[in-house]
Amino acid sequence: MAQPERSEQQRLRPAPLLFEPSAAVADPEHFFGLESMEDPKELLGRATELALAFRAATDRAVEFQAMAAAQLADPRRFDRLTTADIAERAEWTEDYAKKMVEFGRTLLNTPQS
């Protein structure tokens, strides 16, 4: 029997990232309780939710990196950094730092809705 189709919004909603106790984090086999799931359908569903949540978190973190890079490279700052300095701090290539500064400027100049 086929599962009812989820709406696009519901499917892309990040899974809640539950608290990981420090003792469990120390155990390399422990990852959000996935290792203890026996039902492969449940495991696939939860693992997919986590993957989507981590992708969304990564995308958001990259946006914040870009905005910070743009702010640090702002020529109006007396302490502005060159793209080479930004690249070194972020462990990027200088070319990538230039692209991130440009991306950050577009994010900073886009009106918030």
Side-chain angles (χ1 to χ4, degrees), residues 6 35 53 56 63 69 75 78 87 95-96 105:
R6 291 195 223 175
E35 71 288 338
E63 289 175 354
F78 76 93
D95 187 49
Y96 186 73
R105 286 180 179 150

Side-chain angles (χ1 to χ4, degrees), residues 5-94:
E5 238 179 79
R6 291 195 223 175
S7 71
E8 187 69 17
Q9 176 120 8
Q10 185 181 19
R11 187 178 70 76
L12 295 178
R13 188 186 76 220
L17 298 178
L18 305 174
F19 175 75
E20 285 278 303
S22 57
V25 173
D27 179 4
E29 295 297 314
H30 181 83
F31 189 73
F32 292 95
L34 296 178
E35 71 288 338
S36 63
M37 292 184 172
E38 294 183 15
D39 179 5
K41 291 177 187 174
E42 182 183 345
L43 176 60
L44 178 61
R46 180 65 180 150
T48 301
E49 288 175 346
L50 284 168
L52 290 172
F54 282 117
R55 281 186 205 135
T58 299
D59 291 345
R60 193 71 178 125
V62 168
E63 289 175 354
F64 278 105
Q65 282 182 311
M67 289 186 290
Q71 290 171 341
L72 289 169
D74 188 337
R76 296 172 294 186
R77 289 178 62 109
F78 76 93
D79 62 344
R80 80 179 181 109
L81 298 178
T82 65
T83 51
D85 292 332
I86 294 169
E88 184 178 337
R89 285 178 182 237
E91 298 180 14
W92 298 333
T93 64
E94 191 171 349

